[in-house]
Amino acid sequence: MAWNAAQYEAGYSFVWQYGRDLLGLLAPRAGERILDVGCGTGQLTAEIAAAGAVVTGIDSSEAMVEQARRNAPGLDFEVHDVCRLPYREEFDAVFSNAVLHWVPQAEEAAAAMARSLKPGGRLVVELGGRGNVRALVSASDRALRELGVADPERYHPWYYPSVSEYTSILERSGLEVTFAALFDRPTPLDHGLAGWYEMFGKRLVEGLSPEQLPEYYRLVERFASEKLRSEKGWVADYRRLRVVAIRCQAT
Ligand code: BEZ
């Protein structure tokens, strides 16, 4: 997906603000080498560096990496696909916040992250888990069907695994899972519901013409309002899957 880094940074800072909590679980230490997978515009990468760790941020989006380099000059940012990481046993920790649900090739991503870790190194990740944004997606599917799109599910770009599915994948990649949790995290959408679909849901509307979009947004708001509208405004039904795992020592 082509990312608009400026729009992302201006409107969706909650992505890395919530991610700070995950940094507590990472607990970076001075001198450690840490890989930030899907670093986006680099805010959490900079916080890892501020703890004294030697950090590399990677993202598959050139626009995000360019913006990260502007935000945190002097830090190491590179463009890589998480499934094709070039690292071998280099990092004390691999960290990833709110990215891996964009990677349906979860086995390949897990294997590449595991290979990047030194034996005994830790993986600390959070992604959308099973049931994530269910109401957002079903409102979109219903709106698309009304507008004549058959099988709107084929446009879903995301992968939201269960605890057992994801931890099994990590174990098959040579990681030992020490912590896993799936939890609801209702997320206020300060830029409205249509803004969320415009930012993150471009793939969903590939079956529509540009002229159909205003009607699509109107229908989505109608169908989502019962579950997602409160007196505080729109609140998205995010569900997070958080996992910590250790790369097994060579025997
Ligand atoms: C998430 O962080 O769960 C998410 C973000 C954008 C689109 C879908 C899910």
Side-chain angles (χ1 to χ4, degrees):
M1 190 173 107
W3 285 96
N4 181 331
Q7 199 182 344
Y8 168 80
E9 201 166 37
Y12 296 91
S13 60
F14 69 75
V15 176
W16 65 85
Q17 277 156 11
Y18 281 114
R20 289 204 173 108
D21 198 33
L22 191 66
L23 282 183
L25 210 54
L26 175 68
R29 291 187 289 268
E32 283 191 316
R33 283 205 68 201
I34 298 186
L35 181 66
D36 180 7
V37 167
C39 61
T41 45
Q43 281 78 7
L44 294 179
T45 327
E47 294 196 23
I48 295 169
V54 182
V55 65
T56 296
I58 68 107
D59 205 287
S60 61
S61 158
E62 277 182 36
M64 290 290 195
V65 165
E66 278 168 19
Q67 186 59 34
R69 287 182 179 139
R70 278 191 289 273
N71 287 341
L75 293 191
D76 180 27
F77 292 104
E78 297 173 23
V79 177
H80 288 301
D81 176 344
V82 60
C83 297
R84 287 178 199 76
L85 296 174
Y87 313 110
R88 297 288 177 276
E89 303 196 351
E90 290 178 40
F91 293 96
D92 297 290
V94 170
F95 173 84
S96 181
N97 176 55
V99 168
L100 293 168
H101 50 255
W102 293 100
V103 185
Q105 309 85 344
E107 300 266 1
E108 287 172 49
M113 292 189 293
R115 272 197 307 270
S116 305
L117 280 170
K118 296 175 186 169
R122 63 201 187 278
L123 177 80
V124 179
V125 299
E126 185 172 305
L127 63 154
R130 174 68 55 89
N132 192 39
V133 295
R134 186 173 276 150
L136 281 167
V137 172
S138 78
S140 170
D141 287 350
R142 202 169 148 198
L144 289 168
R145 277 195 207 93
E146 285 239 343
L147 292 169
V149 177
D151 303 327
E153 295 78 11
R154 76 194 132 119
Y155 296 109
H156 294 181
W158 302 300
Y159 167 70
Y160 300 134
S162 67
V163 170
S164 64
E165 187 180 339
Y166 204 64
T167 55
S168 300
I169 288 174
L170 295 181
E171 284 168 1
R172 284 198 291 278
S173 305
L175 296 158
E176 189 169 39
V177 175
T178 56
F179 172 85
L182 179 68
F183 56 95
D184 290 326
R185 196 201 67 205
T187 299
L189 297 178
D190 297 341
H191 291 261
L193 192 75
W196 187 90
Y197 288 99
E198 277 163 2
M199 182 74 220
F200 298 115
K202 290 199 180 78
R203 285 271 304 281
L204 299 176
V205 294
E206 277 176 9
L208 295 181
S209 65
E211 296 72 40
Q212 289 177 297
L213 287 177
E215 180 62 358
Y216 167 77
Y217 292 126
R218 203 184 60 73
L219 287 171
V220 159
E221 292 207 346
R222 173 141 72 88
F223 298 146
S225 71
E226 191 192 329
K227 293 212 166 111
L228 302 181
R229 182 101 196 152
S230 75
E231 67 282 356
K232 293 191 205 123
W234 292 102
V235 179
D237 53 340
Y238 277 31
R239 273 189 122 193
R240 315 320 285 167
L241 175 59
R242 194 176 268 197
V243 184
V244 179
I246 308 294
R247 177 159 171 195
C248 300
Q249 300 276 358
T251 48

